[in-house]
Amino acid sequence: MQVVVLGGGVIGVCTAYYLAKEGVDVIVLEAGSDVATATSYANAGQISPGYSTPWAAPGMSLKALKWMFQKHAPLSVGWDGSLFQLRWMLQWFSNCNESSYTRNKERMMRISEYSRDCLQQLRAETGISYEHRCAGTLQLFREQAQVDAAQKDIRVLHECGVPFELLDRDGVIRAEPGLEGASALIAGGLRLPKDETGDCRLFTQELSRMARALGVRFQFGMRVEKLLNVGDKITGVQYEKGGKRGVLSADGYVMAMGVGSRQALLDVGVGVPVYPVKGYSLTMPVLDPSRSPISTVLDETYKIAITRFDRRIRVGGMAELKGVDRTLPSQRRETLEMVVKQLFPGGDLSKAEFWTGLRPMTPDGPPIVGETFFQNLYLNLGHGTLGWTMACGSGRYVRDLLLGRETQIRQEGLSMRRYSRNVI
């Protein structure tokens, strides 16, 4: 059996690896010059099933309006000139209610918890190294209102059996001693001791080498132009490389191209509501370990995560809805620098690498993983800010579906079937 995986980010590489482990002949097509050159390159670094939370939350519409007038807002919106953006936002706001939030968070946590288990098993089996830490993650609250608002998340954590610790200020300092000298106010925190961290790019590069050893062929510089079909079966992928066009055919296909997936799927009548949500990060060397994080600290006020690697600090977050835009405005860098200075001024900002990436996000929150209306086309996309968290589980889950096996987690609500056939 031969399968073409479209996309060489962490999602596509995980999918290829798990398929190859079962003896499947896999070809990965990637537009970049290597794996993990786009959204997987410099994300926030956290593997946080417990924080798998939909952006479509109660009160989000009012918050979005308020943030429009704030300089350091965690979310900003600029019209990209498309009706798709407006329809996506309407669908997003329609999910900003208590019942939808609870349902979507459970779906996200279901695949995230499974994914962490898959990652731990993979690490035990292969010894893969990616500057990982297993020291939990901490959601930092600057105001008591944020502590109070965390109760709805705590209820879901209870229901899903996820261990947690609700901490006061002293408890926060014990968990992350580097916050002792923080200039920001600290009201408390929610710590998830089972969460992990690690460099997504390093992981993807290492796993691609293991996949090659299993026979996976990576073809770079391959720009997918369109999918070809006859009836309910995909018959090939038309691609362009170096000015030359060709068609590659296989028995099965997995779409894992992130924000590029939607347009490629529209050519065969498959609509998925995946919008590019822009985020930013800074990566800098550690100067003072005592004023640096131990693991990941998520600043709830600014929606910015600060993560410790071996000798580096990664600061990532924010969200912009403005289409495919990869510019690096200085104002966004100022926000990242402000937060890390207030909380963990132990890095060398003068040597920081400023980066931006486009996260493929669904309006309700959960990714779109599973079957389509084509018998040999599978989707693994729309993970939003949680692609690193969900990568191993999503790849293994799609492998089981493609091979006709029973999945290890419930399938309800994870495929595109939760939307109508003609999705926006």
Side-chain angles (χ1 to χ4, degrees):
M1 182 182 192
Q2 186 177 82
V3 173
V4 171
V5 175
L6 304 171
V10 67
I11 300 296
V13 172
C14 283
T15 305
Y17 173 82
Y18 281 113
L19 285 167
K21 274 195 69 179
E22 300 304 310
V24 177
D25 181 13
V26 182
I27 301 174
V28 177
L29 303 187
E30 165 58 36
S33 59
D34 196 357
V35 298
T37 58
T39 308
S40 301
Y41 182 84
N43 63 21
Q46 60 193 105
I47 303 167
S48 303
Y51 293 134
S52 297
T53 300
W55 279 73
M60 178 57 74
S61 55
L62 292 177
K63 287 181 180 179
L65 289 174
K66 180 181 70 175
W67 286 334
M68 288 177 64
F69 305 98
Q70 294 183 5
K71 179 180 179 181
H72 298 293
L75 171 68
S76 68
V77 180
W79 188 44
D80 66 7
S82 72
L83 291 177
F84 169 62
Q85 182 195 33
L86 299 178
R87 292 196 296 266
W88 187 92
M89 290 184 64
L90 287 174
Q91 194 169 350
W92 178 37
F93 288 141
S94 73
N95 278 275
C96 293
N97 59 76
E98 196 68 44
S99 60
S100 295
Y101 176 84
T102 301
R103 178 184 65 247
N104 292 326
K105 183 174 177 65
E106 185 281 324
R107 291 170 177 173
M108 295 171 73
M109 289 184 62
R110 188 195 319 158
I111 196 165
S112 295
E113 290 281 326
Y114 173 60
S115 188
R116 184 188 53 213
D117 293 343
C118 293
L119 174 59
Q120 291 174 347
Q121 181 180 350
L122 174 66
R123 195 165 60 229
E125 292 174 351
T126 67
I128 189 170
S129 179
Y130 48 95
E131 298 191 19
H132 66 276
R133 294 182 173 223
C134 303
T137 57
L138 174 68
Q139 187 176 14
L140 180 69
F141 304 129
R142 298 188 184 216
E143 303 171 357
Q144 183 60 39
Q146 294 171 337
V147 178
D148 299 336
Q151 293 304 315
K152 64 177 182 294
D153 289 331
I154 288 174
R155 287 196 298 271
V156 179
L157 294 174
H158 264 304
E159 293 169 2
C160 296
V162 178
F164 67 90
E165 300 168 0
L166 186 61
L167 307 175
D168 59 13
R169 187 185 186 282
D170 291 340
V172 167
I173 301 301
R174 285 194 296 272
E176 283 284 356
L179 288 169
E180 177 70 48
S183 61
L185 294 175
I186 299 175
L190 179 64
R191 182 172 181 268
L192 302 182
K194 292 183 66 178
D195 282 2
E196 303 182 5
T197 62
D199 189 315
C200 180
R201 181 190 179 204
L202 289 180
F203 172 86
T204 307
Q205 290 174 332
E206 287 299 310
L207 193 64
S208 71
R209 283 191 270 273
M210 295 177 184
R212 285 187 181 92
L214 294 172
V216 175
R217 288 168 285 164
F218 289 85
Q219 297 189 16
F220 298 108
M222 304 283 282
R223 186 175 65 85
V224 173
E225 292 190 324
K226 63 179 178 179
L227 300 178
L228 307 174
N229 74 289
V230 174
D232 65 348
K233 189 173 183 180
I234 301 298
T235 57
V237 180
Q238 181 175 305
Y239 65 86
E240 182 273 332
K241 180 177 182 179
K244 297 181 179 180
R245 286 183 169 81
V247 174
L248 182 63
S249 298
D251 301 304
Y253 304 83
V254 179
M255 177 60 72
M257 287 169 49
V259 297
S261 300
R262 179 176 179 267
Q263 188 58 51
L265 291 167
L266 282 176
D267 290 332
V268 289
V270 176
V272 290
V274 173
Y275 191 84
V277 177
K278 187 179 182 182
Y280 300 88
S281 75
L282 287 173
T283 307
M284 69 198 78
V286 172
L287 286 180
D288 184 353
S290 70
R291 304 184 74 187
S292 302
I294 292 174
S295 188
T296 288
V297 174
L298 174 63
D299 186 341
E300 176 63 16
T301 300
Y302 295 101
K303 305 293 185 183
I304 288 174
I306 305 174
T307 297
R308 174 71 178 274
F309 297 144
D310 286 355
R311 292 180 294 275
R312 297 173 296 149
I313 296 173
R314 170 76 49 77
V315 189
M318 295 179 290
E320 291 182 358
L321 279 68
K322 55 191 304 185
V324 179
D325 173 25
R326 294 184 173 87
T327 59
L328 289 166
S330 59
Q331 180 178 330
R332 291 308 186 183
R333 179 170 186 144
E334 289 173 12
T335 300
L336 295 174
E337 291 187 354
M338 177 192 72
V339 172
V340 74
K341 286 177 181 177
Q342 290 177 350
L343 299 178
F344 293 107
D348 187 351
L349 279 169
S350 68
K351 296 180 180 178
E353 177 187 9
F354 187 30
W355 173 87
T356 187
L358 302 174
R359 305 108 151 194
M361 188 170 287
T362 62
D364 50 349
I368 304 173
V369 287
E371 301 165 321
T372 67
F373 302 106
F374 290 93
Q375 58 179 286
N376 62 339
L377 174 64
Y378 297 80
L379 306 183
N380 199 354
L381 50 91
H383 298 77
T385 60
L386 296 163
W388 182 203
T389 295
M390 298 179 174
C392 288
S394 296
R396 190 167 170 176
Y397 176 87
V398 169
R399 176 207 68 182
D400 289 342
L401 286 174
L402 196 151
L403 296 180
R405 298 177 177 177
E406 182 179 356
T407 58
Q408 300 301 301
I409 57 174
R410 289 188 299 111
Q411 299 180 27
E412 182 274 324
L414 298 181
S415 78
M416 65 174 290
R417 296 178 187 275
R418 71 179 185 265
Y419 308 111
S420 63
R421 181 182 177 92
N422 296 316
V423 189
I424 62 175

